[in-house]
Amino acid sequence: MDAGFKGLDPQWLSHDRVDELCGRLLASIPRSDQRRWGELYVRGLLLAEGRKTMQGIAAVVGSAAMQSLQQFISTSPWDWRPVRQSLAGYLDREIRPLSWIVEPLAVPKAGKHSVGVERQFATGLGKVTNCQQSSGVWLASEESSCPVDWQLALPASWVAGPEQRKRAAIPDHIRAKTPVQCAVDSVVEMAKEWRLMPRPVVMAVPNADLPGAARAFTGHRIPFVLRIEGSLPVVAGSGPASCEQRILPAHRLTEALKEQAGAVEWRDFGQSRHRVTKVVGGRVALPTPAGHTARGTGTPPLLLVGAWTDPASARPTEFWLSNVSHLSSSALFRIAKLSRRVSRDLHEIGDRVGVRDFAGRSFRGWHHHATLVSIAHAISVLSRADRRTRVPYSSASPLLPLIGSR
């Protein structure tokens, strides 16, 4: 049987290899026949050419399986959360991630019936369009990355009435959330419930969502490196905000520190080359909200990192905020740029195993598909890892004390 996925080691498609991994990761599904349908679906995601429709998957694994596969994905009540937790634990040992990367995913849709679809602004696309939005949490190292958890961002119109909920089989406890809120909830659950050592969370956060995200991560002792807007107001210095301290936009503070910037070499995975970028860091705090005391804000001293990723620009073009106190601004910048690894793997692997291809209408079906896509992605990642020598990332050691302090 030939692999439909380019670059996949054919040996990984042997029954022994795929069955072993699927058997391990799908063990929480109680029925053996359902576990078998899960393994067949994963195999179809890897083998089917082009868009991963149910017809295409069934054509690869056996046309008679289509109805059973459809039922397994769309209506079967198996719980996807233990499967994702097993996948995360397995990959945590196998790929030795340095960070948890949050990658938003916007999927344009022509119709209005796919779960969560609405005409809305999609940050990843930079425009208003009819689309479905979700957030994935990826375990990432320099060598590879893989999604382990997904949350579907449901607009208010999808949860407002019982009829809409019933059509998409949306559970009663699910509420409307933005992609950022979905991502924060995913990360907190992973840190609290999944028995993983938290790695620095890398994600982009708009100014309006930044205080809430920082408080949530700080409250659960989760390290973070958050990409922020240059207009975010910050307080120079690491002490609590006061009327004597200067509050100014992040871009102005980093511009003022330009003479202290140092050159940082990093791997640009998007362009498959090394680059050198000027980076500067400064201790800051977030302004105290009106009516609150500094003690009650729950915001720790932070490090603001500015980077001149565009050599032609006289001003910094990227800004990051972190609560990781023992790493330098250059180390934090390298960790932040692992997001480029994820963006590349989303395109080269995720798209090929069908991460954007679910066309069903049910909330449960979307989560089932996303979970099995993640397993197919992991198989591709592990197949590639088998054929190369893994080179440890030089910043791995400084992360270990942080990871161990929970």
Side-chain angles (χ1 to χ4, degrees):
M1 184 178 291
D2 295 330
F5 184 90
K6 296 179 181 178
L8 179 67
D9 186 344
Q11 291 184 358
W12 262 94
L13 291 173
S14 69
H15 285 287
D16 289 343
R17 302 300 295 276
V18 175
D19 284 1
E20 187 276 332
L21 186 57
C22 286
R24 178 194 297 264
L25 300 180
L26 301 178
S28 61
I29 300 178
R31 288 171 43 183
S32 59
D33 61 320
Q34 291 182 329
R35 294 194 294 273
R36 181 57 178 166
W37 291 126
E39 186 270 328
L40 287 175
Y41 195 84
V42 169
R43 196 177 291 276
L45 292 172
L46 291 166
L47 289 170
E49 297 284 356
R51 191 164 180 269
K52 303 305 185 288
T53 63
M54 195 62 70
Q55 292 89 340
I57 292 172
V60 169
V61 302
S63 57
M66 182 172 168
Q67 184 175 352
S68 295
L69 285 171
Q70 181 73 54
Q71 182 178 9
F72 173 74
I73 294 297
S74 298
T75 62
S76 180
W78 60 275
D79 190 349
W80 58 83
R81 289 165 294 188
V83 178
R84 295 178 184 179
Q85 184 174 350
S86 295
L87 174 63
Y90 185 81
L91 290 174
D92 199 48
R93 298 185 297 271
E94 289 295 314
I95 70 174
R96 298 172 298 200
L98 296 173
S99 63
W100 296 355
I101 308 287
V102 172
E103 180 77 1
L105 182 66
V107 181
K109 296 282 186 177
K112 60 181 181 180
H113 299 295
S114 295
V115 60
V117 168
E118 186 172 86
R119 185 166 178 80
Q120 55 192 312
F121 179 79
T123 303
L125 301 176
K127 61 180 181 180
V128 174
T129 187
N130 197 59
C131 66
Q132 183 184 65
Q133 294 198 84
S134 61
S135 290
V137 183
W138 297 56
L139 304 188
S141 69
E142 273 211 317
E143 302 304 319
S144 57
S145 67
C146 184
V148 295
D149 196 33
W150 294 94
Q151 293 293 332
L152 181 62
L154 293 176
S157 62
W158 278 86
V159 298
E163 189 61 32
Q164 185 77 324
R165 282 183 176 272
K166 182 178 179 181
R167 283 199 299 268
I170 299 172
D172 291 340
H173 70 278
I174 299 298
R175 297 291 179 262
K177 293 180 183 178
T178 67
V180 170
Q181 291 170 332
C182 288
V184 170
D185 288 349
S186 283
V187 168
V188 169
E189 181 179 358
M190 286 172 59
K192 288 176 57 180
E193 309 293 341
W194 287 21
R195 299 177 184 176
L196 301 174
M197 290 184 180
R199 268 66 171 182
V201 177
V202 178
M203 64 180 291
V205 182
N207 287 356
D209 295 314
L210 190 282
R215 284 195 300 270
F217 292 152
T218 300
H220 294 284
R221 303 185 66 182
I222 299 170
F224 60 75
V225 186
L226 305 180
R227 183 165 182 175
I228 61 170
E229 301 169 42
S231 58
L232 179 75
V234 296
V235 180
S238 59
S242 71
C243 58
E244 289 82 16
Q245 292 177 311
R246 289 188 306 155
I247 299 178
L248 67 169
H251 72 85
R252 285 187 56 193
L253 177 57
T254 51
E255 287 174 39
L257 298 173
K258 183 176 181 179
E259 296 303 317
Q260 302 176 27
V264 177
E265 183 177 1
W266 57 284
R267 288 178 61 181
D268 186 345
F269 300 99
Q271 300 181 12
S272 299
R273 66 185 180 94
H274 282 77
R275 294 178 59 185
V276 176
T277 295
K278 287 196 304 182
V279 173
V280 71
R283 297 291 172 182
V284 300
L286 294 179
T288 304
H292 292 73
T293 64
R295 180 181 298 273
T297 63
T299 302
L302 302 168
L303 180 65
L304 172 65
V305 177
W308 283 258
T309 48
D310 180 359
S313 175
R315 297 180 176 181
T317 47
E318 285 188 10
F319 307 89
W320 303 84
L321 203 61
S322 178
N323 64 345
V324 183
S325 60
H326 72 280
L327 292 182
S328 66
S329 56
S330 58
L332 292 172
F333 177 72
R334 291 191 187 101
I335 290 173
K337 299 311 285 186
L338 287 173
S339 58
R340 299 278 283 175
R341 164 92 262 175
V342 169
S343 296
R344 173 177 166 178
D345 287 351
L346 173 62
H347 172 69
E348 292 188 353
I349 302 176
D351 282 342
R352 292 187 180 182
V353 297
V355 70
R356 303 175 196 267
D357 292 348
F358 182 71
R361 301 183 179 185
S362 79
F363 179 85
R364 178 183 295 156
W366 184 91
H367 277 282
H368 286 167
H369 174 81
T371 301
L372 298 178
V373 161
S374 297
I375 294 178
H377 187 115
I379 289 173
S380 176
V381 165
L382 296 171
S383 167
R384 292 182 175 189
D386 278 355
R387 292 179 287 157
R388 66 168 178 251
T389 302
R390 300 180 190 177
V391 180
Y393 181 44
S394 60
S395 294
S397 296
L399 288 177
L400 295 179
L402 172 70
I403 294 170
S405 59
R406 301 190 61 177

